[in-house]
Every structure is written in structure tokens, then in C-alpha cells.
Amino acid sequence: MSPTATHCPYCALQCGMFVDAGTITPRDDIPANSGGALCQKGWTAGELLTAPDRITVPLMRAHRDAPLEEVSWHAALERIAAEIHRIQRAHGPDAVAVFGGGGLTNEKAYQLGKFARVALRTANIDYNGRFCMSSAAAAQNRAFGLDRGLPVPINDVAEADVILLAGGNVAETMPPFVRHLTAQRDRGGRLIVIDPRNTSTARRADLHLQVTPGTDLALANGLLHLAIAEGLIDEGYLARRTRGFEAVRTVVNAYWPERVERITGVPVPLMREAVRLLGTAATALVLTARGAEQHATGTDTVTAFINLALGLGLPGRRGSGFGCLTGQGNGQGGREHGQKADQLPGYRRIDDPAAREHVARVWGVEPGDLPGPGLSATELLGALGTTGGPRALLVFGSNPVVSAPDSTRVEERLAALDLLVVADFLPSETAVRADVVLPTAQWAEETGTITNLEGRVLLRQAAQPAPAGVRGDLEIIAALAERLKAAGRYATEPEEVFEELRTASAGGLADYSGITYERIVKETGVFWPCPGEGHPGTPRVFLDRFATPDGRARLIAVEHRGPAEDVCDAYPLYLTTGRVLAHYQSGTQTRRVRALLDAVPDAYVELHSDLAGRLDVADGTSVRVTSRRGSVVAAVRVSEAIRRDTVFMPFHWAGAARANLLTNPALDPTSRMPEFKVCAVRVEKIHVEKIRAEMA
């Protein structure tokens, strides 16, 4: 049997790899991991296929206080269907909610959205991508009329003369991307990184702008102010291709360099140098990532960077533009086909009558039968078990007990449900709290498409069968739809589901109608939009026009507001969170791979040496970090890479070291993104004896 050509299960690069009996080798035909690169997570992904605690049979509790016990598929599915019927009869369709994931294939995301709206008739479906890409998506949609992570092929990164990366540590979150940065540097390109930490990526940069957490928007406005002052604005481009610049000019007039330095902590000479590099480059890319986006002002922050890019005349120029670095494995495709509360397939708005009519026709229902927009992810989780809120939750491909902000509150809301169902292949921290757990196939055991950060639709092919007794998510959805007597057909074969997705997406912003499995394999991926089988796909969007009614991009004036929760005497330090090289998302998968766990076995708190000295702590000392929502205990890592007023924690761990016990659920008013990246905390040295006394 020859190796199977497929893709990595982790980040949005979707690196190409071969799988042969669980052994991983890189492919060299996928541009995202050009030259056959893989990170440590990719090399070890085969170990997930033989995880010793793999769930292979359905588990169910007889009642809430009973243990999970093995049951038949028939018993598990009958219990779920009966409970859904009971709850909806008593409380209405919206009393049952669905929570999806940015790692689900396009077929699963599409089918899950259809299942929620047709079989369950509920408005309440959202997904963990709301925690990832929502602010960047909202900002790009209102500026360009279209959200595609990178509007250019990833190969353009190496060709850019200057790159500005705001809030991204790609050297740890997606290491093969660094090959493109290395190629860019080798041809004389320059890299500017904006980050509160001197990360592995920042250390590669020609210029590091070390901002105070929560001040990226002020910095972006300040950079545009300087670009105007130094005559670097492309007035001709602004007149031809945009609207709204004069209002933006008026606002950024107030962001003079010295004021911005006081707000952000970035010295004026570094700001000037950054603007001159960007403004004199023949080609340039402005990129944002989670560090700039995961704020209660995330949409406006991304908008400020878009304004900077538009002011310099970058978007829609070959080799230049604005983009965001998608995080999760199918973070791009997962937000295009209907598992967001406000969307239908093809990136259609659920409150658009024409969109509702088109999709309803594909699904065989009346447009009026489709529900309207539901609650966003954080709001949905906060409403669980409350009066008028959902009484049941079905979770596919997510672990909100670890990944959601203010996770103590999330645990409380899950406990208040009448029914919690989790479909997963590992006993995540959310799955072990469920009333019913359904064992699912994982990445190398089923076929499906994913869409990577550059908008290239790829085919992840099954390399081996799932263990006996395990079902794929498409099979689970179809079995539940049958028991609920849902209208329409719920196919279980991925290619058949994709054919329906093509029809449902036709004419939408994310038009996949011209993409087939055969084309994806033959062409090594196809870029959307692709509105016909004779269409070549669209590697570069916006070359001729933007996706707005008049074809012009919109500049929107935005003001710096700072974090929703600033430091004070009681909580004098900023906490920021993020990922580390060895782990991914909530850690459910990577914490089960021995090499990755050995690399970083435990959570930690990164402190500047000056702060460590004031607290009288050293490497390995236990400290308690406390916010207004909770406390965590973890060991110290002393570092010169972080600001003196800031501490950093990775968010991959569960239990008492969960970073999201601390984070602020304050939401961006447009994207509904929680403020993961900054909250106010205090740090205290603790002693082992004190911990033992508290646990006694």
C-alpha cells in the first residue's frame, strides 16, 4: 500500500504530508510548506492515531451524577433524539444549541450548519472560530466587502520588499511559514514586527515595535499620521480605488508621534523608521494576527491597519496588500459555510432575503422556515441553562472548557444544561462533563476538504480506516437528522456533501461551485472564488475591484479606546496569552504526544527579570496570578523578552493552570470577539506549604 497524500491536522498552513501506517513524511508540492517543511507537531501527528485513551465506543450517563458508561450507538442516539424532542417541546427550537470548530472540514461545517437550521430549526449555532478570526473577518468585510485571510498566494510573502506583522508569532504558531520570511530576507526584504514580547519572530525582525498590550490601534493610527506627514500617501490610488480617506485623515491628525509614544511605549524614531520602510517599498504586505485581533476593539484595530495599507496604496496591487494569518486548521473554510450564527453557505448573510431563498431551495425548505441570526460563541456559552437560554448543547470539534474566556463561568453554564453531547475522539475537558459522548473519526481516518490561510481549497484524504465502532461526524449528523425526521437529505460521503456545498455556495462571496475533488487533486488546490469549472480560481483578489457595490474599498475612521480592563492598584500588571511551539489550541491533542509534552510539560508564567526581582521569584518558583475572574498557579519563567509591566501565559493547559480562568469575556461590539489578549492581574509569590494548606 503506497503512502497517502494528505495534510497536517493542525494550523491553517495545512502543510502537505504523506501518511503511511501512521508514519509522517512531508510533501514538497504544497506551497504553504514549500520545500517539504513540517513543524514538530506535524512530524508527530501520527501518534494521535494510536492515543491510548482514544474514545472508540459511545459513552453515556444514566443521570447527571452517574459515571459515563459504554453503551450502543442505538442507545446513545435514541437518548439524544428523545431529549431534543422533550426540550424543544417544552422550551422551543432555540433551546437546543450547536457549537462547532474551526478544525472541522468544509463538508462537516456545511452539514452542521444545515443540521442546526433544518433538523433542529435553531438559530443558536456558533463555533470556536469566533475566538480566532472574527475581528479580522469583520474588518475585511466592511473595508473590502470580502474576507479572505491572505488575498494573495503565500508565495507572494517571499517577494514582498517589506512586511509589517502585527501580533503574530509565526515562528512558534506556524513554523513552516518562516521559510517564506527567510526567502524574503534572503532577497533583501525587511520585516517589522509589532508585539509586546520579543518573541522568536520578533527576534528575526529588522524592526521590533514593542507595544503596551491593547494599544495596537493607537500605533496603527500613529503610523498613518506619520505616512501623511512625510508625504508617503498614495493620493492617486486613494482617489481611484477608495472612499472615506478624508474622515480618516481628520481622526489620525490627533495621533501625533509623541502622543502615540506615550500611549504605546513605542519610541518615535522606531515609528518613523517603520513608516519609511513601508512607504518607500515597491511591494509591501501589512498582516495582522491574534495579538492585534483578540481584543474588545479588535475589529477597529484591524480596520486601523487596513487604513494604513490603503493609505499606502497596497491592497489590490500585485505583490502587495493587507491580510490576516488564519490560525485554526480550517479557520478560513470553517467560517464560510454556515457554522457561524449569522451566516449561510458561501459566506452569505443569514438575514439577506436573497441568500435565504437560494440556500432554502438547495435544502428543500421554505426560506421562512430558516431561523435568523443566533447568539455568538461567548454569548451562547454564557446563556446556557439560563432562563430563556439553551437547555441542550451539541459540541463538535471544540473544547470550550479550556478555550473560552472566563472558563469558570463556562463550566457553571455547562453544568446547568439538561443535556450536553460531545462528539470527539479524545476525552477532552469538555467531553468528560458530557451526558453523552460520541466517538468520532480523526484527521487521517476520513476524507474532506479544508481551505488554508491563502484561500486555497485542499483535499485531506483518509490514510487509514477508523477503529471499529467509530463513526465520522457526517454519519453522526445523518443519524440524528433521521431520528429527528428532518427534511432533506444528509449524505454521509464527503464528496457527495461537497457537491451540495458547491451548489449552496454558488453566487456567494465564497463561491466554490467550480471546485471539484478531481480539480483539487489535479491542480494541488484551487483558490476561491471559483464560480465555474472552467474558471481558473482566484489566487489574487481585488486586482481589478473590491467586493463592494461600487468596487471601491472603504476607509473607516477609528479611535483608540484601550483595553476593556486596564491596570490599577489592585491589579497592576497586564496579562497576555498565546501559543507555544510544541502545543496547539486547547492542547487536547498535543498534550497526548510524548515528544510535545516533554518539550513543554506544564503551563508557566513569563515575567521580566525586573518584575521577578521585585516579587523575589526565580525560574521555577510557584506564583499565583489573579484577575477579577479567578486565579491560577504556575511556575515562573524569567525572561528579558517581555515588557516589565506585562506577564505572559500560554493557554494550552487545563485544570488549575488554565489561562482562560483569568481572561476577560468583554466582547468586540461588531465581531463579538472576546478580549483574550489583555486583562489586568496581580502576581504573588506562593509557597508549597501554603498550597498544601489550601488543598487540605
mmCIF file of all heavy atoms in Angstrom, residues 248-266:
data_model
loop_
_atom_site.group_PDB
_atom_site.id
_atom_site.type_symbol
_atom_site.label_atom_id
_atom_site.label_comp_id
_atom_site.label_asym_id
_atom_site.label_seq_id
_atom_site.Cartn_x
_atom_site.Cartn_y
_atom_site.Cartn_z
ATOM 1 N N VAL A 248 -10.808 59.700 7.795
ATOM 2 C CA VAL A 248 -9.703 59.039 8.491
ATOM 3 C C VAL A 248 -8.557 60.020 8.715
ATOM 4 O O VAL A 248 -7.957 60.065 9.799
ATOM 5 C CB VAL A 248 -9.228 57.804 7.691
ATOM 6 C CG1 VAL A 248 -7.943 57.238 8.282
ATOM 7 C CG2 VAL A 248 -10.308 56.738 7.664
ATOM 8 N N ARG A 249 -8.261 60.822 7.706
ATOM 9 C CA ARG A 249 -7.197 61.824 7.852
ATOM 10 C C ARG A 249 -7.477 62.749 9.045
ATOM 11 O O ARG A 249 -6.589 63.059 9.839
ATOM 12 C CB ARG A 249 -7.067 62.644 6.569
ATOM 13 C CG ARG A 249 -5.854 63.573 6.565
ATOM 14 C CD ARG A 249 -6.013 64.704 5.551
ATOM 15 N NE ARG A 249 -6.169 64.237 4.193
ATOM 16 C CZ ARG A 249 -5.174 64.110 3.295
ATOM 17 N NH1 ARG A 249 -3.936 64.382 3.657
ATOM 18 N NH2 ARG A 249 -5.429 63.714 2.072
ATOM 19 N N THR A 250 -8.736 63.165 9.177
ATOM 20 C CA THR A 250 -9.105 64.062 10.271
ATOM 21 C C THR A 250 -8.848 63.410 11.628
ATOM 22 O O THR A 250 -8.307 64.038 12.544
ATOM 23 C CB THR A 250 -10.590 64.452 10.150
ATOM 24 O OG1 THR A 250 -10.782 65.148 8.916
ATOM 25 C CG2 THR A 250 -11.018 65.335 11.311
ATOM 26 N N VAL A 251 -9.219 62.127 11.763
ATOM 27 C CA VAL A 251 -9.038 61.433 13.040
ATOM 28 C C VAL A 251 -7.562 61.226 13.345
ATOM 29 O O VAL A 251 -7.098 61.494 14.465
ATOM 30 C CB VAL A 251 -9.801 60.093 13.038
ATOM 31 C CG1 VAL A 251 -9.368 59.229 14.222
ATOM 32 C CG2 VAL A 251 -11.301 60.343 13.104
ATOM 33 N N VAL A 252 -6.786 60.757 12.381
ATOM 34 C CA VAL A 252 -5.383 60.439 12.682
ATOM 35 C C VAL A 252 -4.536 61.691 12.851
ATOM 36 O O VAL A 252 -3.399 61.605 13.337
ATOM 37 C CB VAL A 252 -4.756 59.481 11.635
ATOM 38 C CG1 VAL A 252 -5.540 58.189 11.557
ATOM 39 C CG2 VAL A 252 -4.614 60.138 10.274
ATOM 40 N N ASN A 253 -5.066 62.859 12.482
ATOM 41 C CA ASN A 253 -4.341 64.104 12.776
ATOM 42 C C ASN A 253 -4.045 64.236 14.265
ATOM 43 O O ASN A 253 -3.060 64.869 14.660
ATOM 44 C CB ASN A 253 -5.164 65.316 12.317
ATOM 45 C CG ASN A 253 -4.976 65.605 10.835
ATOM 46 O OD1 ASN A 253 -4.041 65.116 10.213
ATOM 47 N ND2 ASN A 253 -5.872 66.407 10.271
ATOM 48 N N ALA A 254 -4.919 63.642 15.108
ATOM 49 C CA ALA A 254 -4.741 63.741 16.562
ATOM 50 C C ALA A 254 -3.746 62.721 17.103
ATOM 51 O O ALA A 254 -3.456 62.741 18.309
ATOM 52 C CB ALA A 254 -6.096 63.564 17.256
ATOM 53 N N TYR A 255 -3.219 61.848 16.256
ATOM 54 C CA TYR A 255 -2.293 60.804 16.713
ATOM 55 C C TYR A 255 -0.859 61.193 16.343
ATOM 56 O O TYR A 255 -0.169 60.492 15.606
ATOM 57 C CB TYR A 255 -2.696 59.452 16.122
ATOM 58 C CG TYR A 255 -3.958 58.911 16.760
ATOM 59 C CD1 TYR A 255 -5.216 59.359 16.353
ATOM 60 C CD2 TYR A 255 -3.896 57.987 17.785
ATOM 61 C CE1 TYR A 255 -6.376 58.899 16.951
ATOM 62 C CE2 TYR A 255 -5.058 57.511 18.394
ATOM 63 C CZ TYR A 255 -6.290 57.974 17.965
ATOM 64 O OH TYR A 255 -7.441 57.509 18.562
ATOM 65 N N TRP A 256 -0.440 62.382 16.866
ATOM 66 C CA TRP A 256 0.921 62.827 16.594
ATOM 67 C C TRP A 256 1.915 61.910 17.314
ATOM 68 O O TRP A 256 1.586 61.242 18.299
ATOM 69 C CB TRP A 256 1.098 64.285 16.985
ATOM 70 C CG TRP A 256 0.820 64.607 18.420
ATOM 71 C CD1 TRP A 256 1.691 64.582 19.462
ATOM 72 C CD2 TRP A 256 -0.442 64.998 18.984
ATOM 73 N NE1 TRP A 256 1.082 64.936 20.633
ATOM 74 C CE2 TRP A 256 -0.230 65.195 20.375
ATOM 75 C CE3 TRP A 256 -1.729 65.209 18.458
ATOM 76 C CZ2 TRP A 256 -1.249 65.584 21.236
ATOM 77 C CZ3 TRP A 256 -2.738 65.602 19.311
ATOM 78 C CH2 TRP A 256 -2.499 65.790 20.687
ATOM 79 N N PRO A 257 3.132 61.821 16.828
ATOM 80 C CA PRO A 257 4.078 60.788 17.289
ATOM 81 C C PRO A 257 4.303 60.748 18.798
ATOM 82 O O PRO A 257 4.332 59.667 19.401
ATOM 83 C CB PRO A 257 5.367 61.131 16.548
ATOM 84 C CG PRO A 257 4.907 61.855 15.324
ATOM 85 C CD PRO A 257 3.691 62.623 15.717
ATOM 86 N N GLU A 258 4.466 61.905 19.415
ATOM 87 C CA GLU A 258 4.766 61.913 20.845
ATOM 88 C C GLU A 258 3.582 61.392 21.657
ATOM 89 O O GLU A 258 3.760 60.712 22.668
ATOM 90 C CB GLU A 258 5.145 63.321 21.290
ATOM 91 C CG GLU A 258 6.479 63.814 20.733
ATOM 92 C CD GLU A 258 6.387 64.208 19.254
ATOM 93 O OE1 GLU A 258 5.251 64.410 18.740
ATOM 94 O OE2 GLU A 258 7.440 64.302 18.602
ATOM 95 N N ARG A 259 2.374 61.718 21.226
ATOM 96 C CA ARG A 259 1.189 61.189 21.917
ATOM 97 C C ARG A 259 1.131 59.672 21.781
ATOM 98 O O ARG A 259 0.853 58.947 22.746
ATOM 99 C CB ARG A 259 -0.083 61.817 21.340
ATOM 100 C CG ARG A 259 -1.347 61.282 22.013
ATOM 101 C CD ARG A 259 -2.616 61.658 21.269
ATOM 102 N NE ARG A 259 -3.775 61.011 21.883
ATOM 103 C CZ ARG A 259 -4.891 60.726 21.244
ATOM 104 N NH1 ARG A 259 -5.034 61.016 19.963
ATOM 105 N NH2 ARG A 259 -5.889 60.133 21.878
ATOM 106 N N VAL A 260 1.391 59.171 20.593
ATOM 107 C CA VAL A 260 1.340 57.730 20.361
ATOM 108 C C VAL A 260 2.425 57.014 21.157
ATOM 109 O O VAL A 260 2.209 55.920 21.694
ATOM 110 C CB VAL A 260 1.447 57.419 18.854
ATOM 111 C CG1 VAL A 260 1.549 55.919 18.611
ATOM 112 C CG2 VAL A 260 0.240 57.997 18.110
ATOM 113 N N GLU A 261 3.585 57.630 21.275
ATOM 114 C CA GLU A 261 4.640 57.031 22.101
ATOM 115 C C GLU A 261 4.182 56.901 23.551
ATOM 116 O O GLU A 261 4.425 55.880 24.201
ATOM 117 C CB GLU A 261 5.913 57.860 22.029
ATOM 118 C CG GLU A 261 7.038 57.288 22.893
ATOM 119 C CD GLU A 261 8.342 58.046 22.757
ATOM 120 O OE1 GLU A 261 8.666 58.474 21.633
ATOM 121 O OE2 GLU A 261 9.028 58.204 23.788
ATOM 122 N N ARG A 262 3.494 57.916 24.074
ATOM 123 C CA ARG A 262 3.012 57.849 25.457
ATOM 124 C C ARG A 262 1.980 56.737 25.620
ATOM 125 O O ARG A 262 1.954 56.056 26.653
ATOM 126 C CB ARG A 262 2.402 59.191 25.871
ATOM 127 C CG ARG A 262 3.422 60.295 26.089
ATOM 128 C CD ARG A 262 2.821 61.471 26.852
ATOM 129 N NE ARG A 262 1.693 62.072 26.144
ATOM 130 C CZ ARG A 262 1.803 63.043 25.247
ATOM 131 N NH1 ARG A 262 3.000 63.517 24.922
ATOM 132 N NH2 ARG A 262 0.723 63.559 24.688
ATOM 133 N N ILE A 263 1.138 56.533 24.624
ATOM 134 C CA ILE A 263 0.096 55.504 24.712
ATOM 135 C C ILE A 263 0.688 54.108 24.566
ATOM 136 O O ILE A 263 0.370 53.193 25.337
ATOM 137 C CB ILE A 263 -0.976 55.722 23.618
ATOM 138 C CG1 ILE A 263 -1.738 57.024 23.846
ATOM 139 C CG2 ILE A 263 -1.961 54.536 23.592
ATOM 140 C CD1 ILE A 263 -2.643 57.402 22.688
ATOM 141 N N THR A 264 1.564 53.937 23.588
ATOM 142 C CA THR A 264 2.009 52.593 23.191
ATOM 143 C C THR A 264 3.341 52.172 23.794
ATOM 144 O O THR A 264 3.627 50.968 23.864
ATOM 145 C CB THR A 264 2.155 52.513 21.662
ATOM 146 O OG1 THR A 264 3.232 53.379 21.235
ATOM 147 C CG2 THR A 264 0.869 52.922 20.962
ATOM 148 N N GLY A 265 4.165 53.132 24.175
ATOM 149 C CA GLY A 265 5.516 52.807 24.626
ATOM 150 C C GLY A 265 6.509 52.626 23.499
ATOM 151 O O GLY A 265 7.684 52.326 23.745
ATOM 152 N N VAL A 266 6.091 52.799 22.242
ATOM 153 C CA VAL A 266 6.994 52.631 21.101
ATOM 154 C C VAL A 266 7.690 53.959 20.815
ATOM 155 O O VAL A 266 7.021 54.974 20.590
ATOM 156 C CB VAL A 266 6.221 52.165 19.854
ATOM 157 C CG1 VAL A 266 7.160 52.069 18.644
ATOM 158 C CG2 VAL A 266 5.558 50.820 20.118
#
